[in-house]
Amino acid sequence: MYERNSVAELAEALKRELDRYSPGEKLPSSRALVERFRVSPVTVSRALATLAAEGLVTTRPGAGAFRTAPHAAPVRLGDTSWQQVALSAESAAEAIPRAVDATGVLTTLAEPPPGVIELSGGYLHPSLQPERALAAALGRAGRRPGAWGRPPIEGVTELRAWFAREIGGPAGTLAASDVLITAGGQSALTAALRALAPPGAPVLVESPTYPGMLAVARASGLRPVPVPADAHGVRTDLLAEAFRASGARVFVCQPLFQNPTGAVLADERRREVVRVAREAGAFVIEDDFARRLAHEDAPPLPPTLASDDPDGIVVHVCSLTKATSPSLRVGALAARGPVLERLRAIQVVDSFFVPRPLQEAALELVGSPAWPRHRRNTAAELRVRREALLTALRRELPAVTADFVPPGGFHLWARLPDGTDEDALAAAALRAGVAVASGRPSYPAESAAPHLRLSFASATGVAELAEGVGRLRTAFEDVAGR
Amino acid sequence: MYERNSVAELAEALKRELDRYSPGEKLPSSRALVERFRVSPVTVSRALATLAAEGLVTTRPGAGAFRTAPHAAPVRLGDTSWQQVALSAESAAEAIPRAVDATGVLTTLAEPPPGVIELSGGYLHPSLQPERALAAALGRAGRRPGAWGRPPIEGVTELRAWFAREIGGPAGTLAASDVLITAGGQSALTAALRALAPPGAPVLVESPTYPGMLAVARASGLRPVPVPADAHGVRTDLLAEAFRASGARVFVCQPLFQNPTGAVLADERRREVVRVAREAGAFVIEDDFARRLAHEDAPPLPPTLASDDPDGIVVHVCSLTKATSPSLRVGALAARGPVLERLRAIQVVDSFFVPRPLQEAALELVGSPAWPRHRRNTAAELRVRREALLTALRRELPAVTADFVPPGGFHLWARLPDGTDEDALAAAALRAGVAVASGRPSYPAESAAPHLRLSFASATGVAELAEGVGRLRTAFEDVAGR
């Protein structure tokens, strides 16, 4: 609202001044525009993007913005207003929303504008990514004969076997044939939800939960139904009634280092989840995205739900991406019984298969000496960063406290004082130069209590974490003042 | 039916004999089993897969089949029968089918069993793929700093710009900002269909058309409605009535080297398609998958529909994959207006983004001297192979004729004598050692006339094409004899 007016105003001002620049000439730097117009870096970025979309300006990452040269003719603008009608056309089942809300996903995916500290990211900072090992793995993989050919539809067999061992554990209860390779965790979640629930169906979810999963569910025409969760994971005492009341046949569960709370599902609740689902004739989607993100001081990890599931209640989802690098989009689905065929069919039909070089690079990486070194380094670093963020909060912003200290994952689920507007605070934080995630998109329905989800993985290091908290305090005082 | 009994019988026979082999010991080779049991290679392959699924046998590609060693405990078989009920649960809108039929897709994706000649493949034979150039491109891409980081959500800017020039043509009517990078053409089609049509909605399609698109549409709960096509593409005289009668707001069109017929949409019909869609308030999905598959003797290619579309009627889909290699899953969506935002949101929510190293490798490849060389080589080779297949058909199997000679793409759409059972012929062909695609899955409804879709791209060369036609003749005589 206020933000969007600034963007439109700045875009107008820049448009009026464009004549001062020859075609192809460089416009003032982002920093100069911030100073001159007294707006935030993100406003400048968005205003330039507006002009770029109209073909008036060309932005080149790292180089700056330029008045568009004449040979690159501006796009002929026709009249696309008719599309709004077409895209809003009544759906066959009225319960199905037509808009696709990608906000919750974009928050963690998109890089913030330059100069903005990133406490919102869902990925390891590049300095923590095993870049050299990945480059080497990809080089070796790319040179193999047949490296670019078709992999088997279900994935390279060795990689399926590796995931089967990882997911099934030492008891070896999962076979390679129970595993499908996917293009990362999000693709696996998408396939699982679409396989298990028809459009219009309810699906039980933890509340709060991972906003990206809510976005997928809604985009697929599903209706997320919240089941409250606490420090020990989902409230299994409420689960049976939730199945009964909603008629849902799917529950999406994150038993380990839940996003956003970081909770680990208590032992007795683990058994309950599977038992209650079985009685309801339902599936449990086990989203095990954070298994490789344990901190150095985490207690021994519980096994996966999928490792003890002979009746095929559990559809397991996991991925290598968060533990390595955003572009290593290699994940897995594991399931038993007829549902595996349904999953395979959906995956095949939607996107065929995962490029062979990526699969081979993943195999090379996890089979190299660099892998255990990287795992240990990640575990140690995440612990250091977690503590640095907690310390900075206690020191600078004691009104904002973590519900509890997570022993794994990237996030702190930070409770705000009652009555705080989470979205307004996140917007103010962005203007103050730090990107944080409002807790609101994590709830399928209304927020139980205002939170921020703070990531400690994507900042450059502990100094930036502290600086980020300082900027957050500025924003907090700003919002509290009103 | 007959085939499946053979598989089950062989699986039983092998199971009974398993005790002859120590755990971990190698079973007889595929060839030996074919000889001994007098069944086809595909029967052996499937029977072994059945035993592998039960954990009794472990297959290692290239090495053979082995009795499962004891430490790899057979998967504990629980009772997954309950899943059938859960997966069949009534959908909210009864018109939406629940099963996902991947048959049409798997035919072109899966490698046939060893010894079977592949006239069904949707990819270039490895000898035609630019493997060295790809390996070099990937190596260079992987070594760049930040190669494994997050690309911009919409794709690497340079790659978007490259596609914009390719799709928009020399007039430069498409900007990089109108383009989204996707994980190949199938992902782009999936996003386009899901963006434009709600579950339960009708979507107009050419008849016949690409079975993989029908599979995506059905899996997304859409209802394909056929519009007949002939040697000059879709029958535009029937298009307006089809929109009216069905209420569809999407038409999926392949204007260039249509799959399966190879037809090129006649000039006057190109304008008609867009005009009729505009009057119906509908979108046209332009599936331009074959643009880079023109044969050496093709006439000059028409521009894309998207290159002259100021009102944003057209959503353009294309990909580098078929012209290069199955694992270079890099494609693009191009559109103008509010629909672009809808496409972006769906793509982001479903699968985030395309791994950066793949995008950079694609850029390196199309910017290298190897690229034009590869294009010329592909055009020449495809022409040679097309002619070899036509010649072999005329000589060995004159009862089967191509409807017309396509100037691009991978397929011949071969007409069978009236009354031929296309599926039975394809099954007989497989038993005879050649994989072909029945024409039936190409039709949204019933076959207009029996056809086979024969690919000349995936065989090893002209000799194998001729041998394949010989085996097809055997199967044809077999089926005709009954």
Side-chain angles (χ1 to χ4, degrees):
Chain A
M1 287 109 21
Y2 179 75
E3 185 64 21
R4 247 176 264 146
N5 285 347
S6 304
V7 170
E9 284 172 26
L10 178 58
E12 279 306 302
L14 290 174
K15 222 192 276 194
R16 286 191 297 271
E17 294 189 3
L18 258 189
D19 298 317
R20 297 187 193 176
Y21 304 95
S22 323
E25 189 179 355
K26 188 178 178 320
L27 268 56
S29 73
S30 203
R31 204 175 291 271
L33 293 171
V34 164
E35 272 197 54
R36 179 178 157 203
F37 287 96
R38 295 164 154 267
V39 291
S40 72
V42 65
T43 301
V44 169
S45 184
R46 289 180 186 171
L48 288 174
T50 306
L51 298 187
E54 293 178 47
L56 299 170
V57 145
T58 311
T59 55
R60 281 198 285 236
F66 301 76
R67 180 173 176 190
T68 301
H71 67 274
V75 173
R76 250 195 314 146
L77 294 175
D79 181 7
T80 58
S81 53
W82 68 274
Q83 289 182 359
Q84 313 261 26
V85 177
L87 294 174
S88 318
E90 276 306 309
S91 61
E94 294 188 25
I96 298 169
R98 289 291 286 135
V100 179
D101 182 9
T103 326
V105 176
L106 286 166
T107 313
T108 46
L109 277 195
E111 287 203 28
V116 173
I117 291 177
E118 187 172 5
L119 300 192
S120 56
Y123 294 111
L124 290 171
H125 184 263
S127 65
L128 299 180
Q129 297 173 21
E131 271 203 41
R132 272 214 311 266
L134 272 168
L138 190 64
R140 289 195 300 272
R143 283 193 293 274
R144 286 214 198 135
W148 283 95
R150 278 175 285 187
I153 307 273
E154 298 86 352
V156 169
T157 307
E158 269 188 84
L159 189 58
R160 297 169 76 194
W162 183 83
F163 272 109
R165 289 192 300 273
E166 292 277 305
I167 300 167
T173 51
L174 221 68
S177 50
D178 298 324
V179 175
L180 300 173
I181 301 301
T182 69
Q186 192 75 358
S187 291
L189 260 184
T190 305
L193 282 165
R194 296 185 57 210
L196 301 180
V203 53
L204 298 190
V205 301
E206 298 155 328
S207 182
T209 187
Y210 165 46
M213 182 274 291
L214 294 174
V216 169
R218 291 179 174 126
S220 309
L222 306 179
R223 186 166 54 88
V225 173
V227 185
D230 60 24
H232 302 288
V234 69
R235 292 275 307 276
T236 43
D237 55 320
L238 304 174
L239 196 57
E241 179 54 28
F243 273 120
R244 244 191 317 270
S246 65
R249 284 186 177 269
V250 185
F251 168 48
V252 186
C253 187
Q254 304 170 84
L256 189 61
F257 312 141
Q258 208 256 7
N259 177 343
T261 67
V264 177
L265 188 62
D267 282 347
E268 59 280 9
R269 290 190 182 181
R270 291 166 51 86
R271 288 183 288 274
E272 269 300 280
V273 163
V274 179
R275 188 187 67 76
V276 170
R278 183 186 291 110
E279 283 181 9
F283 290 96
V284 175
I285 296 178
E286 174 180 27
D287 184 2
D288 201 41
F289 74 101
R291 182 159 291 268
R292 290 170 193 84
L293 310 181
H295 303 165
E296 202 178 37
D297 55 348
L301 303 186
T304 63
L305 296 180
S307 61
D308 184 15
D309 174 46
D311 296 333
I313 310 285
V314 179
V315 171
H316 182 98
V317 166
C318 68
S319 162
L320 282 172
T321 312
K322 287 196 179 300
T324 57
S325 156
S327 273
L328 188 64
R329 308 211 70 74
V330 174
L333 274 164
R336 292 190 185 85
V339 72
L340 187 61
E341 186 52 39
R342 169 78 63 89
L343 290 164
R344 187 175 83 114
I346 281 199
Q347 156 110 332
V348 160
V349 158
D350 273 12
S351 56
F352 287 178
F353 46 71
V354 178
R356 187 158 205 149
L358 286 185
Q359 297 193 48
E360 301 279 2
L363 263 174
E364 288 276 347
L365 178 70
V366 302
S368 73
W371 181 239
R373 274 201 311 266
H374 168 67
R375 298 286 310 279
R376 282 192 304 268
N377 188 57
T378 304
E381 275 288 334
L382 287 176
R383 174 192 191 177
V384 164
R385 286 159 166 261
R386 177 196 83 212
E387 289 303 311
L389 183 60
L390 282 165
T391 301
L393 280 173
R394 275 184 227 117
R395 193 180 57 223
E396 304 259 356
L397 200 46
V400 175
T401 54
D403 279 359
F404 52 87
V405 179
F410 290 166
H411 304 300
L412 283 187
W413 186 233
R415 180 82 155 80
L416 301 169
D418 284 335
T420 313
D421 181 335
E422 313 157 274
D423 293 341
L425 178 53
L430 194 54
R431 287 193 299 276
V434 59
V436 299
S438 160
R440 191 192 43 76
S442 298
Y443 289 100
E446 305 76 25
S447 269
H451 283 79
L452 291 181
R453 191 187 65 192
L454 302 175
S455 161
F456 43 83
S458 44
T460 54
V462 301
E464 206 177 60
L465 288 169
E467 169 66 24
V469 171
R471 296 182 188 185
L472 182 58
R473 182 181 75 179
T474 303
F476 185 79
E477 288 164 357
D478 180 27
V479 165
R482 304 193 212 136
Chain B
M1 287 119 15
Y2 182 75
E3 183 65 20
R4 244 174 266 143
N5 286 346
S6 304
V7 170
E9 285 172 25
L10 179 58
E12 280 305 305
L14 291 174
K15 221 190 276 192
R16 285 192 298 270
E17 292 190 4
L18 260 188
D19 298 319
R20 296 187 194 177
Y21 303 97
S22 324
E25 189 180 355
K26 187 178 183 313
L27 268 54
S29 74
S30 203
R31 205 175 290 271
L33 292 171
V34 164
E35 273 195 55
R36 178 177 156 205
F37 287 97
R38 295 165 155 267
V39 292
S40 73
V42 65
T43 302
V44 168
S45 184
R46 286 179 188 170
L48 288 173
T50 306
L51 298 188
E54 294 178 44
L56 299 170
V57 144
T58 310
T59 54
R60 281 193 283 217
F66 301 75
R67 179 172 176 193
T68 303
H71 68 273
V75 171
R76 250 197 310 150
L77 295 175
D79 182 6
T80 57
S81 54
W82 68 275
Q83 292 183 358
Q84 313 261 24
V85 178
L87 294 174
S88 319
E90 278 303 312
S91 62
E94 295 189 23
I96 298 169
R98 291 288 287 132
V100 178
D101 181 8
T103 326
V105 176
L106 286 167
T107 313
T108 47
L109 278 195
E111 285 201 32
V116 173
I117 291 178
E118 187 172 3
L119 298 193
S120 56
Y123 294 112
L124 290 171
H125 184 264
S127 65
L128 298 180
Q129 296 173 21
E131 271 204 41
R132 271 211 314 262
L134 272 169
L138 191 64
R140 288 194 300 272
R143 283 191 294 271
R144 286 210 198 139
W148 283 94
R150 277 175 286 186
I153 307 272
E154 298 86 353
V156 169
T157 307
E158 269 188 84
L159 188 58
R160 297 169 76 194
W162 182 82
F163 272 110
R165 290 192 299 273
E166 292 277 304
I167 300 167
T173 52
L174 222 67
S177 50
D178 298 325
V179 174
L180 302 173
I181 302 301
T182 69
Q186 192 75 359
S187 291
L189 260 184
T190 305
L193 283 165
R194 296 185 56 211
L196 301 180
V203 53
L204 298 189
V205 302
E206 299 154 328
S207 182
T209 188
Y210 165 47
M213 183 272 294
L214 294 175
V216 168
R218 292 179 174 127
S220 308
L222 306 179
R223 186 166 53 87
V225 172
V227 185
D230 60 24
H232 302 288
V234 67
R235 291 275 308 276
T236 43
D237 56 319
L238 304 175
L239 196 56
E241 179 54 27
F243 273 120
R244 241 188 320 266
S246 65
R249 284 188 178 267
V250 185
F251 168 49
V252 186
C253 187
Q254 303 170 84
L256 188 62
F257 312 141
Q258 207 258 5
N259 177 344
T261 67
V264 177
L265 188 63
D267 280 346
E268 60 279 10
R269 289 189 182 182
R270 290 165 52 86
R271 288 182 287 274
E272 270 301 281
V273 164
V274 178
R275 186 188 69 75
V276 170
R278 182 186 290 109
E279 283 182 7
F283 291 97
V284 175
I285 295 177
E286 174 181 27
D287 184 0
D288 201 39
F289 74 102
R291 183 161 291 267
R292 292 171 191 83
L293 310 181
H295 302 166
E296 199 177 40
D297 55 348
L301 303 187
T304 63
L305 297 179
S307 62
D308 185 15
D309 174 47
D311 297 333
I313 311 284
V314 179
V315 173
H316 181 98
V317 167
C318 68
S319 163
L320 282 172
T321 312
K322 285 197 181 298
T324 57
S325 156
S327 273
L328 188 64
R329 308 213 71 75
V330 174
L333 273 164
R336 293 188 184 86
V339 72
L340 187 62
E341 185 52 38
R342 169 79 61 90
L343 290 164
R344 188 176 82 112
I346 280 198
Q347 156 109 335
V348 160
V349 159
D350 273 12
S351 56
F352 286 179
F353 47 71
V354 178
R356 189 158 203 148
L358 286 185
Q359 296 192 46
E360 302 279 3
L363 263 173
E364 289 276 348
L365 178 70
V366 302
S368 72
W371 181 239
R373 275 202 309 269
H374 168 66
R375 298 286 311 277
R376 283 193 303 270
N377 187 57
T378 304
E381 274 289 334
L382 286 176
R383 173 191 190 179
V384 164
R385 286 158 166 262
R386 178 196 82 211
E387 289 304 312
L389 183 59
L390 282 164
T391 302
L393 279 173
R394 274 184 228 117
R395 193 179 57 227
E396 305 260 355
L397 200 46
V400 176
T401 55
D403 280 0
F404 54 88
V405 179
F410 291 165
H411 303 301
L412 284 187
W413 186 233
R415 180 84 155 80
L416 301 169
D418 283 337
T420 312
D421 182 334
E422 314 158 272
D423 293 341
L425 178 53
L430 194 54
R431 287 193 300 274
V434 59
V436 300
S438 160
R440 191 191 43 75
S442 298
Y443 289 100
E446 304 76 26
S447 270
H451 283 79
L452 291 182
R453 191 188 65 192
L454 302 174
S455 163
F456 43 83
S458 43
T460 53
V462 301
E464 205 177 61
L465 289 169
E467 170 64 26
V469 171
R471 296 182 188 185
L472 181 60
R473 181 181 75 179
T474 303
F476 184 79
E477 287 164 357
D478 181 28
V479 166
R482 302 194 213 136

